[in-house]
Amino acid sequence: AARASTRGGRESSTGTSTRRDIPVAIACAARDGVDEVAAACAEFGVIRTLHADQDADERRGVLAACARSARRGAFDDSRDDEGPVDDDDDDDTAGDGDARCVCVVTTDACLPSAANGEASLGFPLLVNYDVPRTKEAYARRARVALGG
């Protein structure tokens, strides 16, 4: 008899979950929204935030974790039932020992900036938690979060 997964994943014939994490970027209008969304989503996976109160090293760590998750991809078969395979030798500079980033919550002002030499997140999914105020803000969110 098949059992239902408690976290939305599929189960294999051995009863273990084979769910693959899909990296998600969530854009908020203000820092209060970032904190609220991150707290609400904490039970679903590894949540990272980008906000103005972070120092440069912490920001680089979050962006590095995002890059590893985007590179690994949502349906990467290099993962097994025990979790992600750390496919690079980079040290985890995010500080909590987990190299993954299932979700990043950020404000428009804290999105990665090409002017600062930061690459786009390259995530497959963007959630506009707050509606962008301008067409330009909407386009920037999509370009930076989705890599387009």
Side-chain angles (χ1 to χ4, degrees):
R3 295 181 311 172
S5 173
T6 60
R7 293 183 63 188
R10 302 177 312 247
E11 291 200 344
S12 69
S13 60
T14 62
T16 58
S17 176
T18 59
R19 179 179 64 88
R20 301 292 188 234
D21 295 325
I22 298 174
V24 177
I26 301 176
C28 299
R31 168 70 193 268
D32 292 344
V34 170
D35 294 338
E36 179 182 323
V37 170
C41 293
E43 70 181 87
F44 299 115
V46 181
I47 307 299
R48 309 277 184 172
T49 59
L50 288 172
H51 53 77
D53 295 338
Q54 289 173 315
D55 64 29
D57 288 338
E58 186 177 1
R59 180 178 174 82
R60 277 193 296 273
V62 170
L63 292 175
C66 291
R68 284 189 292 272
S69 291
R71 244 190 349 260
R72 194 172 285 124
F75 302 104
D76 185 354
D77 289 332
S78 68
R79 289 186 51 186
D80 59 18
D81 290 337
E82 298 300 315
V85 173
D86 190 5
D87 57 1
D88 56 22
D89 295 328
D90 296 344
D91 291 332
D92 179 29
T93 58
D96 67 357
D98 193 332
R100 295 181 305 142
C101 178
V102 174
C103 178
V104 64
V105 186
T106 184
T107 61
D108 291 329
C110 293
L111 283 167
S113 169
N116 294 335
E118 299 170 337
S120 67
L121 296 174
F123 281 13
L125 181 60
L126 167 66
V127 175
N128 287 299
Y129 183 76
D130 295 312
V131 176
R133 293 187 176 108
T134 65
K135 291 186 291 188
E136 292 79 14
Y138 179 82
R140 181 169 184 264
R141 282 181 181 183
R143 184 176 60 252
V144 172
L146 304 175

